[in-house]
Amino acid sequence: MSSPIYNRLPVLRAERSLSRKALADAVGVNFQTIGYLERGDYSPSLELALKLADYFNLPVEMIFSLKPFEPLSQIANKGGQ
């Protein structure tokens, strides 16, 4: 069994008020694929991961990880200490 791939897609979509369909259309996949990615039911191909990174103008590792992401609120609080 392969390790889960964690992602920040729901947060990135919410920040930009993007629907799953709008994001899917932008990267050339079915909107259901975005839902599967967000729930962790599907791991992205390298091509899809790179397309998403390009779309959000972020490094791939800011979107996808083999370890759970620390909540952004915790990261922000560390910066203020």
Side-chain angles (χ1 to χ4, degrees):
M1 185 175 161
S2 61
S3 299
I5 304 287
Y6 299 92
N7 70 76
R8 287 190 168 124
L9 290 175
V11 172
L12 294 169
R13 277 196 317 103
E15 287 176 347
R16 292 159 178 80
S17 301
L18 275 176
S19 68
R20 285 180 177 161
K21 181 167 179 8
L23 178 57
D25 289 347
V27 295
V29 297
N30 187 290
F31 77 95
Q32 290 175 315
T33 300
I34 302 299
Y36 294 144
L37 286 171
E38 289 181 352
R39 289 189 302 274
D41 295 339
Y42 175 75
S43 294
S45 65
L46 178 57
E47 179 183 7
L48 180 53
L50 292 171
K51 284 181 178 181
L52 287 162
D54 186 55
Y55 179 82
F56 288 114
N57 197 29
L58 290 170
V60 172
E61 62 271 19
M62 291 296 296
I63 302 172
F64 297 99
S65 176
L66 295 174
K67 299 176 190 166
F69 284 105
E70 193 172 350
L72 293 175
S73 59
Q74 288 182 3
I75 295 169
N77 288 339
K78 283 182 183 177
Q81 291 180 354

